[in-house]
Amino acid sequence: MSKILCVLYPDPVDGFPPRYPRDGVPTIDRYESGGTLPTPQHIDFRPGELLGCVSGSLGLGRFLETSGHTLVVTSDKEGPDSVFERELADAEVVISQPFWPAYLTADRLARAKKLRLAITAGIGSDHVDLDEAAARGVTVAEVTDSNCISVAEHAAMQILALVRNFLPSHEWITRGGWNIADCVSRAYDLEGMQVGIVGAGRIGLALMRRLKPFGVPLHYMQRHPLQPEVARELGAKFHPSVESLAEACDVISIHCPLHPGTLRMFNDELIGRMKRGSYIVNTARAEICDRDAVVRALEGGRLAGYAGDVWFPQPPPPDHPWRTMPHQAMTPHVSGTTLSAQARYAAGTREILECWFEGRPIREEYLIIDGGKLAGVGASSYTLATGARA
Ligand code: NDP
């Protein structure tokens, strides 16, 4: 029997919700990318319940405990005295969400002698040292596709929030004012702006499809151009370099994974090439942008706005400069953990566990590291620090 260590975000400060605004969540038949939804044999939760926090336990408690396994669920993840550090030594499986990541550093992996499987309940496994996991034979899997549309919708919202100066305008209302000139002195139409996407994968492409009806010219940059018919459908212009994209666009939304090739891609030099008054939205990973370069660009006016939901570390300290920098519309890391998304990635996590314990293969598209190397979706999304690809 195994020990499963599950790190989830804390419960709401006022306790678990007695009631939700809606009954259940809207159902979908398949993912927009064409992929199929998770297919666990059974689930022990009602879609629409809060599952991503400690009391929600991803709906796994009954399943794991009746199977004789030990489930430890905690949000206490930092420092040598944390529950996570204490319980890690004999855990076979670690489950963590990018929203409240249990960082599996090389050091921690070295101490996790029994660890065999690290599951990301969501998408993005950069909180795991993938080189070290590969070297130690730890399988890394995530629930590919589960929250792509959740993120694409959030990015579309944040683009509009920045360009239309939504949050400051809303604040004038809640403060009792009606200061129209104050609101509109930073407000523009998105119409006519050149919009660029870094990483036109599942999320980036979904965002482009949502932005096309706004009539904006679309641009994108990634290592491989899109299929010609998809690029034609979107009228999207391919840029072979991020510099060329930066110079052409008024708005850039970032949707590539964090790996050595994208770390601090948006630094002083690249942001300096953008037009004065550009906007960046980053719902991918914080470290794709140089933290202090973003602050400098907002203060100096090179950027008119920055938004996103990803930070480093997570949670960020109270004095993290992105909390107080000007012209930002940041949220905590919430885009991929709507109640709709939670139901999907909780079911996907259950599917992965059922496969693991029954000795059945985990779906190829869920794999990041397997058999000591990049595998499945990991092979196309990530590079290892050694430069090795699967
Ligand atoms: P996909 O793998 O479908 O797409 C990623 C895209 O990034 C690919 O098209 C890839 O294309 C491109 N890419 C990879 N490396 C580079 C590079 N060096 N420069 C430019 N483009 C690159 O992933 P998803 O769309 O599903 O997810 C993307 C990321 O979004 C995740 O890795 C995760 O970090 C983040 N995410 C955030 C969430 C949130 O809640 N905020 C939730 C879900 C995901 P190519 O290989 O051609 O370069």
Side-chain angles (χ1 to χ4, degrees), residues 147 151 201-203 222-224 259 262 283 309 333 335-336 381:
N147 53 15
V151 180
R202 292 177 185 82
I203 299 172
Q222 57 183 0
R223 293 165 301 184
H224 314 90
H259 57 75
T262 59
T283 51
D309 69 331
H333 194 164
S335 65
S381 296

Side-chain angles (χ1 to χ4, degrees), residues 167-179 182-183:
L167 286 177
S169 307
H170 176 70
E171 278 157 19
W172 278 116
I173 285 296
T174 55
R175 275 149 50 191
W178 187 260
N179 299 45
D182 291 275
C183 298

Side-chain angles (χ1 to χ4, degrees), residues 11 29 35 53 83 117 140 142 274 313 330 362 366:
D11 284 3
D29 297 332
C53 65
V83 174
L117 174 65
V140 180
E142 60 184 47
M274 297 178 75
M330 295 296 296
I362 295 169
Y366 286 177

Side-chain angles (χ1 to χ4, degrees), residues 31-54:
Y31 293 125
E32 187 170 299
S33 68
T36 51
L37 294 163
T39 50
Q41 287 157 7
H42 189 69
I43 53 169
D44 296 314
F45 60 83
R46 272 192 310 117
E49 290 174 353
L50 186 55
L51 299 165
C53 65
V54 171

Side-chain angles (χ1 to χ4, degrees), residues 177-295:
W178 187 260
N179 299 45
I180 294 173
D182 291 275
C183 298
V184 300
S185 56
R186 293 191 68 85
Y188 295 90
D189 295 344
L190 183 62
E191 184 183 30
M193 290 196 179
Q194 308 288 320
V195 181
I197 305 294
V198 179
R202 292 177 185 82
I203 299 172
L205 196 55
L207 177 62
M208 289 163 89
R209 292 201 159 111
R210 279 152 183 75
L211 292 176
K212 187 174 161 49
F214 281 88
V216 289
L218 295 170
H219 303 248
Y220 75 99
M221 177 268 161
Q222 57 183 0
R223 293 165 301 184
H224 314 90
L226 289 168
Q227 300 290 331
E229 61 277 14
V230 177
R232 246 194 323 275
E233 163 209 329
L234 293 165
K237 179 173 178 202
F238 174 67
H239 290 258
S241 73
V242 72
E243 289 77 15
S244 150
L245 184 90
E247 286 166 5
C249 293
D250 302 285
V251 179
I252 290 188
S253 195
I254 304 174
H255 299 288
C256 54
L258 174 64
H259 57 75
T262 59
L263 181 70
R264 287 189 275 288
M265 180 188 254
F266 281 79
N267 53 20
D268 284 309
E269 208 271 315
L270 185 64
I271 297 173
R273 286 173 178 246
M274 297 178 75
K275 300 178 199 172
R276 192 183 82 80
S278 297
Y279 303 87
I280 295 178
V281 169
N282 179 8
T283 51
R285 284 296 179 264
E287 290 174 287
I288 297 170
C289 294
D290 178 317
R291 187 192 74 171
D292 296 336
V294 167
V295 178

